[in-house]
Amino acid sequence: MLINFLIDTGASDVVLSPRDAEKLDFDLSRLFFDRVYRTANGTVRGAAVRLGRVKIGPIKLKDVRASVNGAPMTTSLLGMNFLGWFGSYKVTADNLTLRR
């Protein structure tokens, strides 16, 4: 399943929009929205989930911790817990370079 993400260095976790979570077969009615996130847009609740695999080009990560947002979002986010898997990352213009 293809999910588009926005890299967000201000987000602590990978965050799925409710729509993207449903695409990945998460049943929103069975999730427990007990995480509290304070964002620039206010406070929102999230539900902890695990992603079996996240693949970006040749990079494949397994068992990635994520959260499903309790409110609608336009785009899911790849936060710092994802970027932390890498030794470094660099953003220049429209390019993101990840290094292990």
Side-chain angles (χ1 to χ4, degrees), residues 1 9 29:
M1 173 63 55
T9 59
S29 69

Side-chain angles (χ1 to χ4, degrees), residues 16-58:
L16 293 171
S17 71
R19 183 187 63 210
D20 286 343
E22 287 176 329
K23 285 183 190 176
L24 295 174
D25 292 328
F26 287 106
D27 182 349
L28 300 183
S29 69
R30 304 187 99 201
L31 297 179
F32 190 54
F33 290 85
D34 61 341
R35 291 183 165 191
V36 176
Y37 292 96
R38 288 171 183 76
T39 73
N41 294 321
T43 302
V44 67
R45 293 198 171 268
V49 296
R50 290 276 179 175
L51 303 177
R53 179 177 64 134
V54 176
K55 181 178 183 248
I56 298 177

